[in-house]
């Protein structure tokens, strides 16, 4: 960093004459403290510690370029950056978790990054550390976090502009935040309906094995209804992703990932509706002592259950991460899972 020191001449009349060993009058004084990066070119090294598939060096450069272009507007001074391999002023580390931020005020495992907030006269770490969680997060969200942490280094806090970068509130920082949360909440609702359906299906299976076909009919009927509701919810959430098409900041969501997750969940729900329906028909046929029809429906149900279990279900957290909602959610359970292959 090319540091510049500005000294101002004090207006104190004519220069004094020297008389023996009398002290010299102080002729210079330092100007007001300035931000350590003001009007400087700071050198930067990117340290990739993440398993992310993103090009983190490009990500960092895009974030740095934003501040080169906009620093005068938001922090009141110009700043430039250049990449170097050795002796950098700033190190931007990309990692899969925020462990390098331990010891920072407000640290938790949900932190997405950290950096010192520097101001005029601040003691400058050598090098200045910036940590960013990358991992499976969408590229655009990683870049926003990088911009956010660089903003701290330039002296900005969470209440400063630009809010879409510096705010600590996700609804300010994440575009189409309401749509993302609606999709996730719909998936969570589908999870609850499918879990409910699984309980009903288990009850129906127990009654079937006990040859209590009337009770089995009730269980499979209720399972069919709840699975159908879950299927509709997932279809609605999949349709909702169309909102991101053509959005100027669409890269802040892993749209292909979200759709892949939802498509797999929907395929499983469709099969669940089918095997619940088949078992309902089997139970009704068995109650009427129509064993041939019951066995035919039972075979259909078992085929669907096998197909259902061959589809790898995403975890709720996978959906949340693909949506760019911070680092996901603590609800890590799969949307639905059925133990066993066949009844």
């Amino acid at each position: 960093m090319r540091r510049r020191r500005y000294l101002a001449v004090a207006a104190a009349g004519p220069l004094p004459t020297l008389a023996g060993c009398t002290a010299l009058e102080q002729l210079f004084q330092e100007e007001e403290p300035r931000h350590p990066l003001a009007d400087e070119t700071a050198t930067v090294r990117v340290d990739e510690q993440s398993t992310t598939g993103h090009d983190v060096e490009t990500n960092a450069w895009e974030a740095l370029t934003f501040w080169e272009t906009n620093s005068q507007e938001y922090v009141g001074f110009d700043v430039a950056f250049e990449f170097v391999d050795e002796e950098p002023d700033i190190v931007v580390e990309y990692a899969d978790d925020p462990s390098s931020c331990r010891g920072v005020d407000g640290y938790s495992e949900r932190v997405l990054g950290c950096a010192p907030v520097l101001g005029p006269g601040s003691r400058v770490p050598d090098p200045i550390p910036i940590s960013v969680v990358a991992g499976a997060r969408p590229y655009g969200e990683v870049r926003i976090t990088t911009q956010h942490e660089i903003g701290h280094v330039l002296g900005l806090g969470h209440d400063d502009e630009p809010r879409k970068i510096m705010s600590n509130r996700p609804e300010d920082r994440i575009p189409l935040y309401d749509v993302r949360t609606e999709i996730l909440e719909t998936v969570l609702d589908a999870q609850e309906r499918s879990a409910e359906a699984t309980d009903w299906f288990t009850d129906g299976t127990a009654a079937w094995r006990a040859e209590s076909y009337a009770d089995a009919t009730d269980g499979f009927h209720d399972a069919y209804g709840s699975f159908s509701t879950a299927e509709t919810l997932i279809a609605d959430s999949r349709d909702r992703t169309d909102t991101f098409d053509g959005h100027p900041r669409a890269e802040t969501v892993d749209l292909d990932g979200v759709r892949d997750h939802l498509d797999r969940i929907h395929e499983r729900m469709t099969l669940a509706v089918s095997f619940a329906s088949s078992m309902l028909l089997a139970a009704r046929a068995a109650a009427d002592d129509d064993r041939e029809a019951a066995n035919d429906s039972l075979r259909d149900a078992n085929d669907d259950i096998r197909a259902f279990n061959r589809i790898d279900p995403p975890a709720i957290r996978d959906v949340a991460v693909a949506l760019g909602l911070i680092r996901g959610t603590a609800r890590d359970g799969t949307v639905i899972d059925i133990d066993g292959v066949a009844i």
Side-chain angles (χ1 to χ4, degrees):
M1 182 164 53
R2 299 193 296 272
R3 303 185 183 280
R4 303 170 185 170
R5 184 179 180 86
Y6 296 89
L7 301 177
V9 176
L15 292 175
T17 58
L18 297 181
C21 294
T22 57
L24 291 175
E25 182 178 350
Q26 178 68 45
L27 298 180
F28 302 99
Q29 64 183 19
E30 294 188 19
E31 68 174 12
E32 290 296 318
R34 307 174 76 240
H35 190 282
L37 298 184
D39 303 314
E40 300 289 347
T41 296
T43 57
V44 181
R45 187 183 74 218
V46 174
D47 186 4
E48 183 173 3
Q49 300 295 326
S50 174
T51 58
T52 183
H54 302 320
D55 182 343
V56 294
E57 188 164 297
T58 298
N59 192 285
W61 186 248
E62 290 173 355
L64 293 164
T65 300
F66 171 85
W67 287 113
E68 283 190 338
T69 304
N70 297 285
S71 62
Q72 186 63 244
E73 177 181 356
Y74 294 115
V75 299
F77 57 80
D78 291 320
V79 65
F81 303 97
E82 63 181 14
F83 281 158
V84 296
D85 294 326
E86 298 180 355
E87 298 184 359
D89 299 316
I90 300 171
V91 173
V92 182
E93 177 192 83
Y94 289 88
D96 288 336
D97 62 65
S99 57
S100 61
C101 296
R102 293 184 189 278
V104 175
D105 289 344
Y107 171 80
S108 78
E109 292 184 355
R110 298 179 68 83
V111 166
L112 294 176
C114 59
V117 180
L118 302 182
S122 292
R123 178 177 295 180
V124 182
D126 184 18
I128 300 168
I130 294 176
S131 181
V132 176
V133 174
R137 299 175 63 213
Y139 182 90
E141 285 298 309
V142 176
R143 187 182 61 222
I144 289 175
T145 300
T146 307
Q147 291 171 327
H148 178 97
E149 302 307 336
I150 296 169
H152 284 325
V153 169
L154 296 178
L156 297 178
H158 292 147
D159 294 328
D160 291 322
E161 295 290 347
R163 298 283 295 170
K164 67 180 182 180
I165 291 174
M166 295 311 303
S167 176
N168 212 27
R169 301 172 68 242
E171 54 266 43
D172 291 335
R173 192 177 64 252
I174 300 176
L176 297 177
Y177 179 77
D178 289 345
V179 175
R180 300 175 198 231
T181 55
E182 286 170 10
I183 291 173
L184 183 59
E185 287 299 324
T186 302
V187 173
L188 290 170
D189 287 345
Q191 181 194 41
E192 292 175 0
R193 298 290 78 75
S194 60
E196 179 182 81
T198 301
D199 290 340
W200 286 118
F201 194 83
T202 300
D203 291 345
T205 301
W208 169 271
R209 288 171 174 163
E211 299 184 2
S212 179
Y213 299 122
D215 290 339
T217 297
D218 291 340
F220 293 136
H221 177 272
D222 291 339
Y224 171 79
S226 291
F227 278 136
S228 296
T229 299
E231 180 190 29
T232 299
L233 289 170
I234 295 300
D236 289 345
S237 65
R238 176 61 169 81
D239 291 342
R240 198 79 170 94
T241 65
D242 292 345
T243 307
F244 294 101
D245 289 329
H247 190 274
R249 295 175 67 195
E251 81 279 9
T252 60
V253 62
D254 178 5
L255 194 53
D256 289 341
V258 172
R259 286 172 171 167
D260 176 67
H261 294 327
L262 296 179
D263 286 344
R264 280 189 287 142
I265 297 170
H266 186 260
E267 186 176 0
R268 281 167 62 92
M269 288 300 96
T270 300
L271 288 166
V273 170
S274 181
F275 66 63
S277 174
S278 293
M279 286 309 302
L280 176 59
L281 293 175
R284 286 173 175 170
D288 293 337
D289 204 26
D290 187 347
R291 294 187 176 276
E292 182 178 357
N295 285 330
D296 287 344
S297 294
L298 178 61
R299 279 191 292 271
D300 290 341
N302 279 328
D303 287 343
D304 286 336
I305 290 174
R306 292 187 184 94
F308 175 93
N309 284 320
R310 283 194 294 268
I311 300 172
D312 184 30
I316 292 294
R317 184 180 183 280
D318 296 334
V319 179
V321 170
L323 283 167
L325 292 173
I326 315 299
R327 297 179 64 204
T329 174
R331 299 176 69 169
D332 287 336
T334 54
V335 173
I336 174 176
D337 205 1
I338 297 283
D339 292 331
V341 175
I343 298 173

